[in-house]
């Protein structure tokens, strides 16, 4: 079992001085660790070391990078139960879901180990015009440069993995700012990466984790030595960071208010079970959690009644309880915000079917029935990031598509129907990065392209697709050999 001492490992040195941040068990409030925060000088050391590490790592063979990533996956696997417990405590994730996240982290690095050997290019003819006869070309993907990653609290290991794994696979070093509420999983991962790098002969400082305050983080964002910023978090913060990021590439994975549509030809019980888990698992603190549910009139009353009964029977439980569907939310401030949004919706005409109360940071699963679209209510328009759903009735498929699409977000959506015609209509009309057919929008596999449109982000994650974001295309043009008489002819051409 690894001991997280809160120290920072930056530029091949251990830093154990300066300002600290207290990391607490989110359920009990008990202190877990004191983590040292990087000041501007330590952040500068990390940046300079990352530049050196990049120059070394880009010259490492694909085979060695493959071994490195595989070794990281094995390191996570060996420590899986300890990491799961650490994650459950520092972010309040139910232990069964924490174990699932750790397993996904292993998978993410395994996928990256395979993709490290597939970063190719293309040979292409250039002799397509008379002047270009004798020319041929090829292009390669090369790492753009050091990466700066900023990750959120809700998946403190696997969303870190989605920045670290593709960076190392393509030969880019990375400096990572972990979430302030739960940095311990990222610090544990950095130790695993250091051990794996030493074991396979990879360079030092290829990953440096720097917990820091926002002013230090923003200086990192503006630093031109980083060639790509990969940010996952709120849309407000993400778009602000893009505005100050300068010339670097920016990859934004932001929020959503995902819709699920249930038509009357769907498997009702299957749709209900999947939607309930997608709405309330981990207290709804998932970017693609089910937030808005649209159910056709024929089954709306039945769906709402079943949702009310199950929501009332589901209570927040201590994260280490194997029966927990949800625990607390990340802090009491967010619990109060969620409660206020629910109360505002009720005052605006929403009907409270279940929940609507909280105890400290523990928010009861909440179901709101809303006539019509509910536009203008924060629980509909914005990202609730909590255990709250709105349920709406609709008459026609066109009505459902119109309401589901009427949002500034566009991350993922789910539809339940057996009609290929309706599926094709949804593909055309719901403006999202991912449409999930006969399952919830919460579905994600770590090799698929993942990202949104509109206010939900820019670019795509998923290991292969993040690698493409982190690389540049480099073209090489070859001219065939020129015979001596041709050279003489060229030399004797009149000059202008």
């Amino acid at each position: 079992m690894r001991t997280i001492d809160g120290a920072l490992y930056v530029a091949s040195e251990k830093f154990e001085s300066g300002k600290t941040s207290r990391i607490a068990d989110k359920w009990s409030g008990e202190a877990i660790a004191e983590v040292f925060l990087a000041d501007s000088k330590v952040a500068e050391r990390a940046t300079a070391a990352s530049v050196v590490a990049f120059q070394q790592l880009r010259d490492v063979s694909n085979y060695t990078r493959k071994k490195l990533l595989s070794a990281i996956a094995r390191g996570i696997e060996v420590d899986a139960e300890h990491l799961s417990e650490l994650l459950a405590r520092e972010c309040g994730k139910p232990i069964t879901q924490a174990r699932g996240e750790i397993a996904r982290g292993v998978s993410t690095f395994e996928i990256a180990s395979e993709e490290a050997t597939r970063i190719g290019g293309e040979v292409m003819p250039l002799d397509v015009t008379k002047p270009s006869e004798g020319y041929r070309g090829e292009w390669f993907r090369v790492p753009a440069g050091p990466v700066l990653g900023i990750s959120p609290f809700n998946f403190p290991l696997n969303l870190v993995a989605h920045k670290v794994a593709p960076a190392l696979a393509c030969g880019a070093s990375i400096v990572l700012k972990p979430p302030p509420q739960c940095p311990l999983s990222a610090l544990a991962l950095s130790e695993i990466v250091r051990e794996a790098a030493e074991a396979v002969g990879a360079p030092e400082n290829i990953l440096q984790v720097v917990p820091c305050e926002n002013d230090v983080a923003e200086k990192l964002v503006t630093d031109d030595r980083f060639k790509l910023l990969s940010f996952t978090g709120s849309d407000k913060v993400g778009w602000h960071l893009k505005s100050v990021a300068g010339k670097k590439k920016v990859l934004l994975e932001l929020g959503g208010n995902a819709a699920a549509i249930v038509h009357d030809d769907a498997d009702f019980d299957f749709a209900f079970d999947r939607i309930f888990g997608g709405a309330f698992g981990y207290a709804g603190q998932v970017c693609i959690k089910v937030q808005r549910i649209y159910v056709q009139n024929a089954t709306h009353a039945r769906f709402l009644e079943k949702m009310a009964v199950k929501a009332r029977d589901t209570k927040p439980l201590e994260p280490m309880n194997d029966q927990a569907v949800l625990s607390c939310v990340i802090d009491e401030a967010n619990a109060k915000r969620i409660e206020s949004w629910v109360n505002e919706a009720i005052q605006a005409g929403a009907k409270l079917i279940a929940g609507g109360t909280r105890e400290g940071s523990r928010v009861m699963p909440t179901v709101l029935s809303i006539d019509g679209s509910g536009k203008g209510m924060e629980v509909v328009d914005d990202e609730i990031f909590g255990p709250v759903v709105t349920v709406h009735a609709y008459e026609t498929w066109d009505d459902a598509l119109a309401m589901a699409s009427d949002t500034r977000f566009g991350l993922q959506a789910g539809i339940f129907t057996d009609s290929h015609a309706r599926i094709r209509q949804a593909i055309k009309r719901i403006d999202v990065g991912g449409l999930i057919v006969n399952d919830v929008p919460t579905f994600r596999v770590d090799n698929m392209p993942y990202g949104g449109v509109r206010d939900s982000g820019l670019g795509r994650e998923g290991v292969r697709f993040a690698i493409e974001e982190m690389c540049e295309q480099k073209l090489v043009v070859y001219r065939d050999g020129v015979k001596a008489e041709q050279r003489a002819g060229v030399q004797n051409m009149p000059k202008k």
Side-chain angles (χ1 to χ4, degrees), residues 200-422:
V200 304
E204 295 181 310
N205 303 314
I206 53 178
L207 167 64
Q208 298 169 96
V209 175
V210 287
C212 60
E213 296 183 326
N214 289 341
D215 60 331
V216 176
E218 187 151 331
K219 287 180 181 178
L220 291 170
V221 169
T222 61
D223 195 315
D224 285 339
R225 286 171 291 180
F226 292 108
K227 301 305 178 184
L228 181 135
L229 166 65
S230 177
F231 172 85
T232 302
S234 75
D235 60 299
K236 180 179 179 180
V237 174
W239 293 114
H240 165 70
L241 294 181
K242 182 179 182 296
S243 74
V244 300
K247 298 177 182 178
K248 63 178 62 62
K249 296 170 72 174
V250 177
L251 175 59
L252 300 178
E253 299 299 334
L254 308 178
N257 57 356
I261 303 175
V262 184
H263 207 63
D264 65 0
D265 62 344
D267 183 325
F268 180 90
D269 290 332
F270 175 78
F272 175 85
D273 288 342
R274 293 295 291 162
I275 286 173
F276 190 89
F280 298 119
Y282 187 35
Q285 296 173 118
V286 181
C287 296
I288 44 179
K289 86 101 170 178
V290 178
Q291 181 167 328
R292 299 174 294 138
I293 308 170
Y294 302 96
V295 186
Q296 194 175 26
N297 282 337
T299 54
H300 173 262
R302 179 185 170 201
F303 187 96
L304 195 61
E305 180 181 1
K306 190 171 183 179
M307 180 68 75
V309 170
K310 191 164 184 178
R312 291 172 190 146
D313 289 343
T314 303
K315 307 297 183 186
L317 298 175
E318 197 273 333
M320 295 305 295
N321 188 326
D322 283 341
Q323 303 304 310
V325 173
L326 73 160
S327 179
C328 52
V329 297
I330 193 65
D331 55 36
E332 189 168 5
N334 272 286
K336 289 179 178 179
R337 173 190 57 79
I338 294 164
E339 181 183 43
S340 71
W341 287 17
V342 169
N343 289 336
E344 289 168 4
I346 294 169
Q347 291 172 6
K351 182 179 180 181
L352 181 64
I353 303 300
T357 60
R358 69 174 180 88
E359 298 172 4
S361 61
R362 303 167 196 179
V363 179
M364 302 304 118
T366 299
V367 181
L368 296 170
S369 176
I370 296 177
D371 292 333
S373 69
K375 285 291 289 183
M377 299 180 185
E378 285 182 298
V379 294
V380 172
D381 293 348
D382 292 313
E383 182 178 35
I384 189 72
F385 225 61
V388 178
V389 293
T390 63
V391 183
H392 314 249
Y394 71 88
E395 181 61 35
T396 70
W397 189 245
D398 281 344
D399 294 337
L401 296 181
M403 287 190 289
S405 301
D406 190 12
T407 173
R408 65 187 178 89
F409 293 109
L411 194 47
Q412 293 196 162
I415 60 171
F416 293 84
T417 178
D418 277 345
S419 166
H420 288 291
R422 278 190 283 272

Side-chain angles (χ1 to χ4, degrees), residues 49-288:
S50 192
V51 171
V52 174
F54 169 74
Q55 294 166 351
Q56 298 168 338
L57 185 61
R58 67 180 174 181
D59 291 334
V60 168
S61 71
N62 291 343
Y63 173 69
T64 300
R65 294 203 295 272
K66 176 183 177 178
K67 286 202 305 178
L68 168 67
L69 290 156
S70 181
I72 296 168
R74 299 289 74 77
I76 297 171
E77 198 169 47
V78 167
D79 272 5
E81 189 59 22
H82 168 60
L83 289 169
S84 299
E85 293 175 7
L86 180 65
L87 195 156
R89 293 191 69 196
E90 72 166 335
C91 73
K93 180 169 289 188
I95 187 64
T96 55
Q97 296 167 38
R99 291 181 182 125
E101 178 176 345
I102 299 304
R104 285 182 60 192
V106 172
S107 177
T108 299
F109 279 99
E110 287 177 336
I111 293 166
S113 74
E114 298 167 0
E115 292 294 342
T117 64
R118 300 173 185 159
I119 306 172
E122 184 178 325
V123 175
M124 58 187 305
L126 297 179
D127 56 349
V128 295
T129 64
K130 181 65 177 175
S132 65
E133 286 183 347
Y135 289 86
R136 54 192 172 86
E138 55 185 337
W139 60 264
F140 304 90
R141 284 195 176 92
V142 296
V147 171
L148 173 64
I150 301 178
S151 60
F153 74 80
N154 58 332
F155 287 85
L157 187 128
N158 195 43
L159 289 185
V160 169
H162 270 286
K163 302 183 188 308
V164 175
L168 301 185
C170 71
S173 56
I174 177 168
V175 172
L176 183 106
K177 178 194 178 295
Q181 306 95 327
C182 44
L184 303 180
S185 298
L187 290 169
L189 177 63
S190 70
E191 184 178 343
I192 292 171
V193 171
R194 288 196 302 274
E195 292 173 357
E198 184 176 359
V200 304
E204 295 181 310
N205 303 314
I206 53 178
L207 167 64
Q208 298 169 96
V209 175
V210 287
C212 60
E213 296 183 326
N214 289 341
D215 60 331
V216 176
E218 187 151 331
K219 287 180 181 178
L220 291 170
V221 169
T222 61
D223 195 315
D224 285 339
R225 286 171 291 180
F226 292 108
K227 301 305 178 184
L228 181 135
L229 166 65
S230 177
F231 172 85
T232 302
S234 75
D235 60 299
K236 180 179 179 180
V237 174
W239 293 114
H240 165 70
L241 294 181
K242 182 179 182 296
S243 74
V244 300
K247 298 177 182 178
K248 63 178 62 62
K249 296 170 72 174
V250 177
L251 175 59
L252 300 178
E253 299 299 334
L254 308 178
N257 57 356
I261 303 175
V262 184
H263 207 63
D264 65 0
D265 62 344
D267 183 325
F268 180 90
D269 290 332
F270 175 78
F272 175 85
D273 288 342
R274 293 295 291 162
I275 286 173
F276 190 89
F280 298 119
Y282 187 35
Q285 296 173 118
V286 181
C287 296
I288 44 179

